[in-house]
Amino acid sequence: FGLLALVVALADWRAVLAALARVDPAWVAVAVALTGLDRLVLTLRWSLLLRARGVDPGLPRLLRVQFAANFLGLFLPGALGVDALRAGALARAGGHLPDVAAATLVDRASQVCAWLFVGSVMIVAFAGKSVPAGYTDPVLAASAALLLGFGLLCVPGVGARLRRTGARAVPERVARAVGRVLDATLRYRGDRRLWAKVAGWTLAMFAVRVLSAKAIVIACGVDVPLATLAVFVPLILIALMLPITVGGIGVLEVAWVALLALVGVPAAVAVGVAFVDHVVARLATLPGAAFVDDLY
């Protein structure tokens, strides 16, 4: 909240209120609908990874768990708490914990890789007009490092070496549990058909999120091209995954202000965009409050 207050103060709170007074509710409703669609696509993607490990509680149950976890995630730092809630709910419902944990871990890790990769592609394609080199170089370097790390996990023998190294660093019981999750995780690496389907759902999710961002900026009276948003959205998503603040409060404002400044949007309007983004996410996630019992 201190970070949020600082951003609002620097942007001039009177100008922020004036920007919020001009928000178009119709476009906010469009953004909420698109965010709800994003939750469905995200759940279908997670379902693919779960079924590959023999866990299939059914799409209705997964949707309830997804919405409930995202609702409680509004009060948790970053996305790690959401993933713990999702995996814990399915494990308590009878899912094999190593397989559930592996599917959820791969779901989140592949999203991070996807956002960095897509962000890098968009930067190479469009960023000459939108983002200076000082912003592009760290993203490209992070993408290369992360993809290299995941590539190493696909090398035969790497998983076993990681297990031996980890077993010496933690208690035996923990090492066995982590080893089972690692084994389940590494079994994904050879399933090319699965990864093709996951990639398709990932691209669909990215398209929905860019369209939702477009609806949000239109609601705030800002004209930002889709190509520019395709560069910005992955960077914002990566920032929100960091466990820095509760529900991304403050982080989202800083991200929108910094990125929209690159295309000439005033700070007060950018803060208004971030506020509307918060509202949209919470309205779309609010139905999850009715399904919290599914997590326990």
Side-chain angles (χ1 to χ4, degrees):
F1 282 103
L3 180 59
L4 176 61
L6 178 62
V7 173
V8 172
L10 292 175
D12 184 354
W13 64 270
R14 297 177 187 83
V16 172
L17 289 177
L20 290 173
R22 295 190 296 270
V23 170
D24 185 343
W27 280 105
V28 173
V30 172
V32 171
L34 287 168
T35 304
L37 177 60
D38 168 74
R39 298 291 185 268
L40 173 60
V41 174
L42 183 62
T43 304
L44 289 168
R45 186 180 184 278
W46 184 34
S47 177
L48 277 176
L49 294 167
L50 287 166
R51 290 203 306 272
R53 296 275 64 81
V55 181
D56 188 11
L59 184 59
R61 177 63 188 272
L62 285 181
L63 278 170
R64 293 197 300 271
V65 169
Q66 185 75 260
F67 271 91
N70 277 272
F71 172 74
L72 292 184
L74 298 176
F75 310 99
L76 297 172
L80 299 178
V82 173
D83 292 337
L85 289 170
R86 292 195 299 160
L90 295 187
R92 280 188 289 273
H96 188 229
L97 180 57
D99 290 324
V100 170
T104 308
L105 174 65
V106 170
D107 180 38
R108 180 63 62 186
S110 61
Q111 283 184 57
V112 174
C113 280
W115 300 145
L116 281 172
F117 177 73
V118 172
S120 298
V121 171
M122 293 298 104
I123 281 173
V124 171
F126 301 112
K129 301 177 182 178
S130 304
V131 184
Y135 285 80
T136 63
D137 293 345
V139 175
L140 296 175
S143 299
L146 203 58
L147 291 174
L148 177 62
F150 277 95
L152 288 175
L153 288 177
C154 296
V155 177
V158 170
R161 193 172 295 113
L162 286 174
R163 284 190 69 167
R164 289 195 297 270
T165 302
R168 293 193 292 267
V170 297
E172 182 180 353
R173 181 180 177 183
V174 175
R176 286 199 303 269
V178 172
R180 287 193 291 269
V181 174
L182 180 61
D183 288 341
T185 301
L186 292 175
R187 283 197 288 272
Y188 281 104
R189 58 187 176 183
D191 197 337
R192 296 181 181 179
R193 182 176 297 180
L194 171 67
W195 283 112
K197 293 178 181 178
V198 169
W201 283 117
T202 303
L203 288 175
M205 184 166 57
F206 174 70
V208 171
R209 293 190 178 189
V210 172
L211 290 174
S212 178
K214 180 67 173 180
I216 289 170
V217 297
I218 291 175
C220 296
V222 180
D223 183 18
V224 181
L226 280 173
T228 301
L229 290 173
V231 177
F232 290 171
V233 166
L235 306 183
I236 293 172
L237 293 172
I238 292 295
L240 289 177
M241 287 182 182
L242 300 174
I244 300 173
T245 69
V246 174
I249 295 173
V251 174
L252 187 62
E253 283 74 15
V254 170
W256 273 118
V257 169
L259 292 171
L260 289 179
L262 300 173
V263 291
V265 176
V269 177
V271 172
V273 169
F275 280 4
V276 172
D277 199 349
H278 276 301
V279 170
V280 165
R282 279 147 181 78
L283 288 176
T285 307
L286 193 58
F291 307 128
V292 170
D293 287 346
D294 282 81
L295 298 176
Y296 302 101

